[in-house]
Amino acid sequence: MRNLIDIKDLSVEEINNLIEVAKDIIANREKYSHKCDGKKLATLFFEPSTRTRLSFEAAMMELGGKVLGFSEASSSSVSKGESVADTIRVVGCYSDIIVMRHPKEGAPFVAAQKSTVPIINAGDGGHNHPTQTLTDLLTIQCEKNRLDNLTIGLCGDLKFGRTVHSLITAMSRYKNIKFVLISPKELTIPEYIKKEVLDKNNIQYCETNDIEEYMGELDILYMTRVQKERFFNEADYIRLKDYYILNKEKLEKAKQDLCIMHPLPRVNEISTDVDDDKRACYFKQAEYGKFIRMALILKLLEIN
Ligand code: NCD
């Protein structure tokens, strides 16, 4: 039985295959509409979500399956003190696959040790978010037609942004990838990502706090929200939350085929005047999320 806890649980070949299946789903929706007849997907969300939870639910529905679950811990027995391990054992009796988001780093890993059905990590604290990364990879492949030879700017909260950690880990396995890490000094990328991922794989990267410095060199600009819920101190959040606001002016030097991405939700970090720029890909990116999750559900349920 396979789980998806960390993006490295999938080989590059498996990821490329998921992308191919997702593209086939986009082109042949009808062909997939009964693949999961009789199957149930449980969504256990101990933290808020819109896209991740709803796109998983929509994905299962489009495959002909059914969904159940909860969208906040307060509406489950967790509020009575139940452990994640017990919750998972029980939900495994009611479903064929479980998607779980949790504020504690490592919680989905612990859940997977106890589960009798596949577990998908839908975000664990400030750690990982592998299915957002699959979404991002499908977006990049569809928009740029390649996953190698790219200069990728990652901007905003690189410290707590779990989507950034998983994306760097995934992209570091493709050829000729360069990263421009753009953040205030308080929100730089964690040391373990630098050591274990970037340095270990000899990946070229530079760090700056100026969003315009390397703008003209970027193929991808991945904006992120400052992760309010991970701050210990509200004053720090308020000071940093509007550090970057991408607008038309800041894009002046950008390439014509730049792809602007954002996992969403957006707060202020991209001005709405960018939304109608043809380089803005973030709403398309949200749509791609459903298709790659359909491909992932099929893979983990071993349905061809
Ligand atoms: C992200 C997350 O939950 O980490 N959202 C998402 O899943 N699309 C990004 C965020 O919350 O900022």
Side-chain angles (χ1 to χ4, degrees):
M1 189 184 75
R2 296 282 299 273
N3 303 296
L4 178 59
I5 306 301
D6 184 297
I7 193 67
K8 279 193 304 203
D9 294 344
L10 296 168
S11 66
V12 172
E13 199 186 352
E14 285 177 310
I15 290 180
N16 293 344
N17 191 260
L18 284 172
I19 290 173
E20 285 317 306
V21 174
K23 282 185 178 171
D24 192 55
I25 293 171
I26 294 170
N28 304 288
R29 304 278 281 272
E30 193 50 38
K31 186 172 126 192
Y32 290 87
S33 61
H34 293 287
K35 294 270 187 193
C36 284
D37 281 357
K39 300 283 185 194
K40 291 192 280 308
L41 170 125
T43 49
L44 311 187
F45 277 66
F46 297 87
E47 249 193 5
S49 169
T50 304
R51 270 148 298 275
T52 306
R53 185 170 61 84
L54 297 187
S55 68
F56 262 115
E57 295 186 357
M60 192 51 159
M61 289 176 193
E62 285 208 25
L63 291 167
K66 293 202 162 60
V67 297
L68 66 163
F70 54 81
S71 54
E72 46 186 324
S74 62
S75 64
S76 75
S77 278
V78 173
S79 65
K80 299 179 187 169
E82 187 171 56
S83 68
V84 165
D86 284 4
T87 304
I88 287 295
R89 274 192 197 142
V90 172
V91 177
C93 306
Y94 308 146
S95 60
D96 302 286
I97 185 164
I98 296 174
V99 181
M100 178 185 173
R101 169 172 288 187
H102 201 283
K104 278 210 186 109
E105 310 197 340
F109 175 79
V110 172
Q113 313 303 305
K114 301 288 175 197
S115 182
T116 52
V117 302
I119 299 282
I120 299 173
N121 176 7
D124 60 327
H127 190 213
N128 280 327
H129 194 346
T131 70
Q132 180 63 46
T133 296
L134 292 176
T135 301
D136 300 340
L137 297 184
L138 175 62
T139 307
I140 296 170
Q141 177 61 49
C142 290
E143 298 300 316
K144 306 294 298 179
N145 213 14
R146 64 183 193 274
L147 286 168
D148 49 16
N149 298 309
L150 292 164
T151 300
I152 305 173
L154 298 150
C155 177
D157 187 346
L158 309 188
K159 179 178 182 187
F160 296 117
R162 55 194 175 194
T163 65
V164 168
H165 305 159
S166 293
L167 183 57
I168 291 179
T169 305
M171 290 307 303
S172 293
R173 297 194 291 181
Y174 291 87
K175 288 208 181 75
N176 194 22
I177 297 296
K178 292 181 196 142
F179 293 108
V180 178
L181 305 173
I182 310 156
S183 71
K185 65 178 185 321
E186 295 88 339
L187 299 176
T188 54
I189 200 87
E191 276 304 310
Y192 79 91
I193 302 272
K194 283 192 196 168
K195 282 211 182 89
E196 299 298 316
V197 183
L198 295 168
D199 294 344
K200 204 170 179 174
N201 296 297
N202 286 320
I203 306 293
Q204 267 196 54
Y205 72 95
C206 62
E207 295 184 278
T208 176
N209 68 357
D210 177 0
I211 191 172
E212 285 170 278
E213 189 176 354
Y214 296 97
M215 186 63 87
E217 294 172 35
L218 303 180
D219 300 302
I220 310 272
L221 174 57
Y222 193 94
M223 298 296 295
T224 62
R225 164 182 80 91
V226 175
Q227 304 281 300
K228 181 180 183 187
E229 63 275 42
R230 315 268 176 244
F231 276 70
F232 295 111
N233 176 336
E234 201 183 348
D236 285 345
Y237 169 70
I238 290 169
R239 187 166 52 78
L240 294 167
K241 72 183 174 65
D242 293 328
Y243 203 94
Y244 298 109
I245 302 180
L246 182 68
N247 56 21
K248 283 203 160 130
E249 258 168 39
K250 298 209 171 85
L251 284 167
E252 251 159 38
K253 295 208 186 81
K255 290 186 183 172
Q256 280 314 306
D257 64 350
L258 171 71
C259 175
I260 306 167
M261 299 173 65
H262 191 309
L264 303 177
R266 154 175 66 184
V267 184
N268 275 331
E269 54 283 349
I270 303 180
S271 155
T272 51
D273 73 9
V274 176
D275 293 0
D276 54 16
D277 189 303
K278 67 175 183 11
R279 294 168 290 187
C281 294
Y282 29 95
F283 290 113
K284 255 192 266 178
Q285 187 183 351
E287 191 181 357
Y288 286 130
K290 181 179 71 180
F291 299 115
I292 199 81
R293 288 179 172 109
M294 289 171 77
L296 179 66
I297 292 168
L298 291 174
K299 179 175 176 63
L300 296 184
L301 289 178
E302 296 175 15
I303 295 171
N304 291 313

